Amino acid sequence: MKVTDPELIEIFDNWAFDEVIEAVGMDIRLRLMVQLAALIACQAVNEYRVMLGGALNVGVTPVQAKETLYQAVPYVGMARAFDFLHAINEVFKERGIDLPLPAQATTTAQTRFDKGMETQARIFGDRSKTSAAQSPADLEHVPRFLSANCFGDYYTRHGLDLQTRELLTFAILASLGGCEPQLTAHLAGNLAMGNDRQTLIATVTQLLPYIGYPRTLNAIKVINEGAPA
């Protein structure tokens, strides 16, 4: 595209890789991980391949990269995640990274629900139990799935700590757009896990070149309302 669209690429590169990065400080590995999460939500598989290579080059480990993708699955759905699973495996094979990676699961079919509930309580406090208890009888399976699957199967895995997983989730929800109620809930979760206002602002700033202004401004509104300056 530097041949076919040189002006656009110059504008984007100067902004995304100079001005935006200089505007807010953020660890380069964490920055690339939240950007990878956003690209999954945006379904930008070609750009994902490029950024994945960059992430591996600066020290993001194969396990961290793969867990970033796994963390996105309950939020974007497996249908959207499949292409990225193929892409990351192809990049790993090109780099001589043996697959499968070491197992990271910490729960079993018998423990996933209880461990998921424990994890929800760590992040959101008693609100998660109250929400589940208030579900109508014909919808009781949904909060049960949320606890056992989203939090029991994914959040409890090794490879990434809860603080990082919550930040990735915030990036995913901001990038999907139209998820402001969930974004608000996970804003509180991020604050509880130690991701302060400046970390969240840095995150959405680094996502801006990839998700655009409307979704970024919606995320900033959520931050301003839930974590005022």
Side-chain angles (χ1 to χ4, degrees), residues 12 50 76 108 118 121 139 153:
F12 181 81
V50 175
V76 305
T108 66
E118 290 175 13
L139 287 173
D153 289 335

Side-chain angles (χ1 to χ4, degrees), residues 18-150:
D18 289 320
E19 192 173 2
V20 171
I21 291 175
E22 292 174 1
V24 289
M26 192 172 195
D27 176 79
I28 187 171
R29 289 165 296 190
L30 185 58
R31 170 170 64 83
L32 284 163
M33 287 166 64
V34 298
Q35 288 173 332
L36 287 175
L39 292 171
I40 296 166
C42 293
Q43 291 293 277
V45 68
N46 290 331
E47 185 67 10
Y48 174 84
R49 287 177 182 271
V50 175
M51 297 296 282
L52 174 60
L56 295 172
N57 287 343
V58 300
V60 174
T61 69
V63 168
Q64 289 172 328
K66 185 65 76 85
E67 288 302 314
T68 297
L69 173 54
Y70 284 13
Q71 183 67 20
V73 171
Y75 294 100
V76 305
M78 192 55 130
R80 292 187 177 186
F82 263 127
D83 287 345
F84 295 88
L85 193 60
H86 290 303
I88 195 172
N89 288 339
E90 289 168 3
V91 171
F92 282 2
K93 289 176 182 177
E94 291 168 1
R95 288 176 174 247
I97 299 169
D98 291 334
L99 294 171
L101 298 178
Q104 302 298 320
T106 68
T107 61
T108 66
Q110 292 72 37
T111 64
R112 59 198 282 269
F113 177 78
D114 289 338
K115 293 295 184 182
M117 286 289 290
E118 290 175 13
T119 302
Q120 278 182 281
R122 283 186 61 188
I123 299 172
F124 302 108
D126 291 336
R127 286 174 297 172
S128 56
K129 296 180 180 179
T130 301
S131 177
Q134 292 176 343
S135 295
D138 57 352
L139 287 173
E140 288 179 350
H141 60 286
V142 176
R144 186 174 71 250
F145 289 164
L146 184 67
S147 296
N149 178 244
C150 181

